Amino acid sequence: MYISSRLALLALILFYSAFIRCAPTPVDLVETADLEARTASIASVNGRLFRIDDKTQHFAGLIPYHAPDGAVDRSQMAATGYKVIRVWGFGTTNNPSASYGVYYQVLNSTGQYFNYNPSNGIARLDYAVAAAEKYGIKIILVLLNNWDALGGINTYTNVYGGTHNGFYTNAAAQAAYKNYIKFIVTRYKHSTAVFSWELCNEPRCPGCDTAIITKWAADTSAYIKSLDATHLVSLGDDGWFAPASSSYLPNNDGSYAYSGYEGVDFEKNLAIRTLDFGTVHMYADQWGYNYSWGSTWIAQHNAVGKKLGKPVLLEEYAVPDGVDRVAIARPWQETVLHKTSIAGDLMWQFGTQFPSGTKPLDHYAVYWDTSDLRVLGNRHVSEMAGKKAVATL
């Protein structure tokens, strides 16, 4: 999902910066050992499905945009029955004195710093991980953002030079990014709440040869595996197809999603040995497609997953407010349930109405205890949990 700068400021508290330079003994650091889960097990791949807490299963999940900020009620997510959620593990600023809310890293001309302030630093992510452990929820932890909100790729190129597209081959930017990866992965690598480490939210390189992101994904995922060989690793892409590898797919009309314009080749990326599963996002209304096309998009990615023998996760899908969400999204869920072996799906995004009125203001948000959530959330969770765990389609 494209995350606007406006959204990044919502529901966040303004703090002036307090950070320390990377040091052997950081202050206010919650010990990693305290974050280790007590009873659950680490998720793994079983054929084209996932084994979660010693059970091979399909699942439904959701994305809470503001999870580390406390702007969603985690007990509500757990009560809905969601198995897996997606949480932002990135948060970079170039200017801490002008930053709003939570950030984990500072990049500027003086160096690279990690924020250990308990009020707006890494302790907030510690809390999100600990809460996931408490409620038995797995989290996909995203390590970078393609978009500017909450500190994306451009916070690296602002310091190390070049353009957004050049980030993937910028040696200095990649060294800093890998340093951040090491910071996050080593901090949580013993937590069974982590479902996967995810390289980037919707990586794109418009107009580039798709080989650029494929090589970057191979190199970066191999680096993560060198730090933690146990947890799963995913790319986090939209699932764009490229002409060279997708011409065989039914209903491939060569339009935007199949053109390779965004510099991503879903099939070649899924074939990377150190990526454990494929990710697909779907925003038909933003991309210029009819809502009915969504089922085609899902089925096409299922076909590639079947060809390569890897799980595929419909990692983001959404319908904006102001329309009949159930009528539009249920056919997509029915496709996942009955016509594919898609391992799981996550709807964007979960919203909480607090007594104070605080909520993430997003026109895609689906709120607790509404008719939309009861059908697209509670019912679908039950359906996916009850689906026979054999990938035959």
Side-chain angles (χ1 to χ4, degrees), residues 251 258 282 284 290-302 328-336 339-340:
N251 301 307
Y258 308 92
M282 183 172 67
N290 295 326
Y291 285 121
S292 60
W293 168 82
S295 290
T296 297
W297 187 241
I298 294 167
Q300 289 169 329
H301 288 84
N302 178 72
I328 292 170
R330 275 302 287 176
W332 301 340
Q333 293 183 341
E334 293 285 342
T335 297
V336 170
K339 299 179 181 179
T340 74

Side-chain angles (χ1 to χ4, degrees), residues 64-247:
Y65 180 89
H66 293 289
D69 305 307
V72 292
D73 189 319
R74 297 163 185 83
S75 65
Q76 291 178 356
M77 288 189 292
T80 306
Y82 289 116
K83 288 282 187 184
V84 180
I85 66 173
R86 194 160 168 255
V87 171
W88 306 141
F90 53 79
T92 301
T93 182
N94 299 130
N95 184 6
S97 65
S99 293
Y100 291 81
V102 176
Y103 63 93
Y104 308 136
Q105 175 181 220
V106 177
L107 292 175
N108 59 32
S109 60
T110 65
Q112 180 177 25
Y113 309 85
F114 300 142
N115 180 10
Y116 294 106
N117 187 321
S119 64
N120 68 340
I122 194 63
R124 299 295 287 271
L125 189 56
D126 291 346
Y127 175 68
V129 173
E133 293 175 357
K134 175 181 178 180
Y135 292 108
I137 297 172
K138 302 293 187 186
I139 58 175
I140 297 171
L141 204 55
V142 190
L143 300 168
L144 180 68
N145 195 9
N146 177 70
W147 311 106
D148 286 342
L150 305 180
I153 282 175
N154 286 337
T155 57
Y156 287 84
T157 58
N158 289 343
V159 176
Y160 301 107
T163 63
H164 174 281
N165 284 8
F167 165 80
Y168 301 100
T169 56
N170 183 321
Q174 291 306 306
Y177 174 49
K178 286 183 177 179
N179 196 37
Y180 183 72
I181 288 174
K182 185 176 182 180
F183 170 62
I184 295 293
V185 170
T186 55
R187 190 173 186 86
Y188 304 115
K189 74 181 209 176
H190 298 294
S191 174
T192 57
V194 174
F195 182 82
S196 75
W197 309 113
E198 192 149 280
L199 273 58
C200 184
N201 175 51
E202 300 177 341
R204 301 183 187 187
C205 191
C208 298
D209 189 315
T210 60
I212 291 175
I213 282 185
T214 297
K215 183 180 186 305
W216 172 80
D219 291 346
T220 308
S221 58
Y223 176 68
I224 294 174
K225 290 289 189 180
S226 75
L227 299 173
D228 175 12
T230 306
H231 283 95
L232 304 176
V233 179
S234 50
L235 177 52
D237 60 310
D238 300 90
W240 306 114
F241 289 115
S245 60
S246 65
S247 59

Side-chain angles (χ1 to χ4, degrees), residues 21-26:
R21 187 159 190 160
C22 304
T25 309

Side-chain angles (χ1 to χ4, degrees), residues 19-84:
F19 61 93
I20 63 171
R21 187 159 190 160
C22 304
T25 309
V27 299
D28 296 318
L29 171 61
V30 177
E31 291 296 328
T32 304
D34 294 337
L35 302 175
E36 294 182 18
R38 284 77 181 168
T39 57
S41 61
I42 291 175
S44 60
V45 165
N46 185 2
R48 292 174 59 205
L49 302 179
F50 297 105
R51 189 168 181 81
I52 302 173
D53 294 337
D54 297 323
K55 180 182 179 182
T56 299
Q57 56 191 295
H58 293 267
F59 64 85
L62 209 145
I63 298 102
Y65 180 89
H66 293 289
D69 305 307
V72 292
D73 189 319
R74 297 163 185 83
S75 65
Q76 291 178 356
M77 288 189 292
T80 306
Y82 289 116
K83 288 282 187 184
V84 180

